[in-house]
Amino acid sequence: MYDYVIIGAGSAGCVLANRLTEDPTIRVLLLEAGGPDKQKEFHIPAAFSTLFKSQHDWAYDTEEQSHLNHRKLYWPRGKVLGGSSSINIMIYIRGNRRDYDHWHDLGNEGWSFSEVLPYFRKAENQERGASEYHGVGGPLNVADLRYINPLSRVFVEAGVEIGLSRNVDFNGPEQEGVGFYQVTQKRGQRHSAAGAYLRPVLNRTNLTVLSHAHVTRLIVEKTRSVGVAYVRDGQPQQATVNREVILCGGAINSPQLLMLSGIGPADHLHTLGIPVVMDLPGVGQDLQDHLAIGVVYDCTQPISLASAGTVGDILSYLLFKKGPLTSNIAEAGAFIKTQSDLLAPDLQLGFVPVYFVDHGFTRLKGHGFSLGVALLRPQSSGHITLRSGDPFEPPAIQPNYLGREADGQALIEGLKICRRLVQAKSFDPFRGAERYPGPQVQSEDALSEYIRSLSQTVYHPVGTCKMGHDAMAVVDARLRVRGVTGLRVADASIMPALVGGNTNAPTIMIAEKAADLIRADA
Ligand SMILES: Cc1cc2nc3c(=O)[nH]c(=O)nc-3n(C[C@H](O)[C@H](O)[C@H](O)COP(=O)(O)OP(=O)(O)OC[C@H]3O[C@@H](n4cnc5c(N)ncnc54)[C@H](O)[C@@H]3O)c2cc1C
């Protein structure tokens, strides 16, 4: 019998396991479907893409996207201690302060920017030191990159040349502008949620962590959640709980588990023969993600990251944790507005000083560089549904990318900005031929077709158990599942609207706040 069972040891689950077991009288069980993060590729920043489609990746595919030439898009998700924070690109971004004020304005008390900032600061160990916006002494290390490729410096100068403001801190007073990303790294290594929050407390006797434990359903008596069923080593097991089950399975698996347990849209559950425990039509709905497209150029000088991995680089990494292997690949970026009267940037750029096509699966020989643009606040949204009542069958993921025309138009504008940036003088000594989309792709129609045929996710699905008060809300502002006692969701799925930036730091903030809410309600 545990006080709390946490499902999923990802970005959110690791935070909650740590914070709830600070009280030695509280007993917590953390269940994770994946295994430990021992392999060296988890820790070497530049190696992240080697984990794609490995045993540590749920490696989902979306449904065919009718607005993307019927392609199915690959969605990596970490299946390992640390979850997606163990395979992500380590960019530390909180989003725009207006994102949280918007959450608050939707009726979610306690979630305005000024109310969530203390949780971002609490989580953080900012290597630059404390300030109004940054914390020190928190579990999650936030660092400047130890290595920056010369092409990334060229990118930042080119951005300034075309009129973007230089921004030395995207998480400071102003998000807009161009600059280098900070990363969740410690001493040149990835600092995942597992490294930051879980490993340091594994010796707590009140915390039990079980990896390779795949939760198959929640056990609910009438409308009270009393435990979970899971499979480990092929054996069905159960755990019972005194206080609460906390679902931290992420934006795909949290709604999947709710629906497998009879909590979700009644019509959908009926069609699959799953007995309805609570009719919550919003479970799995309101799926939003950042879709991205990019330009790729040859580089006329042999200075890209393609030459990383020499004996010297390996030694530099092994001995000093320095050099190109500490690069997170997407070293620099920008937040820009397509229209000057927008209140917050609607596009995010990411510069990669090497060829980067199709998540790194398409290999191009030689030296190049890539510049991606992601649409921060898409109007399109989709959903996650079950294919069957089998907990081991992946759910159907329908993001409905570019379902609204405005989204495609914004990406076309983004492509034009990327091209203009690469045409800046700073790139003159380095710019070779345009590989993607290629000089022949100029008209709006041609750019649109290029987006349909090559755009990809930048890995930020949210919203499928959204917080709120409307009929589609799944959890309330204290993250309690509506109509079911003893059950909360605390992960990226609760976001009532996608934030304008990367989603790891926001998810960690959500979990930090959830820990306080849970303790206050105990
Ligand atoms: C390739 C990639 C790159 C990214 N890059 C960045 C970046 O640079 N910066 C950034 O801020 N964000 C980035 N993100 C996004 C960010 O990492 C995620 O938004 C964040 O980690 C989500 O946290 P979560 O806790 O909601 O889910 P996750 O971290 O995915 O955790 C969910 C956990 O639950 C486990 N689980 C699921 N189902 C079950 C089950 N049935 N039983 C037991 N356990 C289960 C999973 O295995 C996983 O460990 C990236 C993501 C990916 C995939």
Side-chain angles (χ1 to χ4, degrees):
M1 178 72 91
Y2 295 91
D3 295 302
Y4 298 99
V5 174
I6 300 169
I7 303 171
S11 298
C14 290
V15 176
L16 278 152
N18 177 315
R19 293 302 186 194
L20 294 177
T21 55
E22 281 173 349
D23 176 348
T25 66
I26 296 295
R27 296 190 57 208
V28 171
L29 171 65
L30 174 63
L31 297 169
E32 167 55 44
D37 57 346
K38 287 200 184 122
Q39 215 173 296
K40 62 182 183 312
E41 285 80 4
F42 285 115
H43 309 289
I44 304 173
F48 70 88
S49 66
T50 63
L51 298 161
F52 288 179
K53 300 194 179 177
S54 72
Q55 58 165 317
H56 309 290
D57 178 6
W58 291 86
Y60 289 117
D61 286 310
T62 67
E63 298 297 283
E64 283 189 3
Q65 293 305 289
S66 56
H67 304 284
L68 299 182
N69 292 347
H70 301 283
R71 285 182 297 135
K72 294 183 174 189
L73 269 59
Y74 161 61
W75 274 24
R77 295 277 99 195
K79 187 179 185 181
V80 57
L81 292 182
S84 297
S85 77
S86 290
I87 66 165
N88 75 7
I89 302 179
M90 291 156 277
I91 296 172
Y92 182 79
I93 290 286
R94 296 170 177 176
N96 192 281
R97 59 186 304 141
R98 286 191 177 73
D99 293 320
Y100 303 100
D101 289 340
H102 176 54
W103 290 11
H104 175 265
D105 293 347
L106 291 170
N108 297 299
E109 216 172 291
W111 294 89
S112 67
F113 181 69
S114 61
E115 289 165 302
V116 300
L117 179 59
Y119 290 104
F120 280 116
R121 295 182 77 238
K122 181 180 185 185
E124 187 182 15
N125 183 46
Q126 172 58 252
E127 286 195 355
R128 292 180 187 173
S131 70
E132 184 189 343
Y133 290 93
H134 293 287
V136 293
L140 183 67
N141 209 62
V142 179
D144 289 316
L145 278 161
R146 289 185 159 201
Y147 164 91
I148 293 179
N149 184 275
L151 287 168
S152 297
R153 296 186 191 282
V154 171
F155 161 79
V156 173
E157 294 314 313
V160 173
E161 229 183 282
I162 67 159
L164 306 182
S165 52
R166 198 184 294 276
N167 193 337
V168 294
D169 182 8
F170 292 125
N171 302 299
E174 186 50 66
Q175 188 192 28
E176 198 175 352
V178 61
F180 301 106
Y181 287 127
Q182 282 205 292
V183 286
T184 43
Q185 289 185 9
K186 191 171 181 181
R187 290 185 222 104
Q189 292 184 284
R190 172 190 298 279
H191 211 214
S192 69
Y197 283 90
L198 197 58
R199 243 185 308 284
V201 301
L202 280 176
N203 59 354
R204 286 185 186 161
T205 50
N206 57 337
L207 172 63
T208 305
V209 182
L210 295 182
S211 52
H212 298 298
H214 190 126
V215 177
T216 50
R217 78 186 157 85
L218 313 170
I219 303 168
V220 184
E221 280 174 5
K222 293 198 175 134
T223 54
R224 176 165 191 91
S225 147
V226 295
V228 301
Y230 61 98
V231 172
R232 193 161 190 247
D233 296 328
Q235 297 301 313
Q237 320 249 2
Q238 293 197 351
T240 46
V241 71
N242 266 329
R243 294 190 183 174
E244 295 189 25
V245 171
I246 307 159
L247 191 42
C248 302
I252 301 160
N253 301 80
S254 284
Q256 179 196 24
L257 266 172
L258 286 177
M259 290 187 278
L260 286 169
S261 315
I263 302 166
D267 295 352
H268 177 51
L269 301 180
H270 282 316
T271 59
L272 297 166
I274 297 173
V276 177
V277 170
M278 182 55 58
D279 178 15
L280 280 185
V283 174
Q285 302 298 307
D286 285 301
L287 171 63
Q288 283 197 301
D289 186 29
H290 289 145
L291 185 70
I293 186 70
V295 295
V296 180
Y297 287 78
D298 292 335
C299 181
T300 53
Q301 298 192 33
I303 57 168
S304 81
L305 275 178
S307 15
T310 61
V311 174
D313 292 343
I314 294 169
L315 282 177
S316 168
Y317 182 78
L318 290 177
L319 296 175
F320 309 111
K321 298 288 179 290
K322 289 199 169 149
L325 296 186
T326 64
S327 170
N328 72 328
I329 312 289
E331 299 170 352
F335 288 88
I336 51 185
K337 296 175 180 168
T338 50
Q339 287 159 29
S340 56
D341 59 345
L342 288 176
L343 292 175
D346 57 338
L347 296 177
Q348 180 177 1
L349 304 190
F351 181 78
V352 178
V354 69
Y355 293 122
F356 194 76
V357 180
D358 188 21
H359 309 277
F361 292 121
T362 302
R363 300 263 172 197
L364 298 179
K365 283 217 170 85
H367 290 270
F369 55 87
S370 317
L371 176 56
V373 56
L375 177 63
L376 289 179
R377 284 183 196 76
Q379 293 182 16
S380 336
S381 65
H383 49 79
I384 290 194
T385 48
L386 297 180
R387 290 175 200 282
S388 73
D390 176 0
F392 293 96
E393 182 171 20
I397 300 172
Q398 174 48 274
N400 189 28
Y401 289 120
L402 304 191
R404 300 280 286 274
E405 208 180 317
D407 292 352
Q409 197 53 43
L411 282 177
I412 291 178
E413 293 310 312
L415 275 176
K416 290 180 188 167
I417 294 168
C418 289
R419 272 181 162 163
R420 194 148 60 84
L421 198 149
V422 177
Q423 290 311 313
K425 269 203 171 58
S426 304
F427 269 114
D428 283 353
F430 309 100
R431 186 192 322 105
E434 185 181 285
R435 287 286 195 107
Y436 293 88
Q440 72 288 359
V441 179
Q442 294 296 341
S443 69
E444 299 251 325
D445 280 354
L447 288 170
S448 184
E449 172 54 26
Y450 171 62
I451 291 168
R452 282 196 296 272
S453 57
L454 265 118
S455 53
Q456 293 290 352
T457 175
V458 279
Y459 323 117
H460 299 153
V462 307
T464 47
C465 298
K466 81 165 184 183
M467 164 171 73
H469 298 287
D470 61 281
M472 299 304 277
V474 175
V475 296
D476 66 10
R478 301 187 76 77
L479 307 185
R480 297 172 297 204
V481 173
R482 292 170 67 195
V484 183
T485 42
L487 180 61
R488 294 191 210 228
V489 184
D491 58 26
S493 71
I494 67 97
M495 293 191 196
L498 181 54
V499 292
N502 311 66
T503 45
N504 188 46
T507 305
I508 286 174
M509 175 280 287
I510 288 167
E512 284 278 11
K513 188 169 164 65
D516 270 7
L517 294 172
I518 292 165
R519 280 191 289 225
D521 291 348

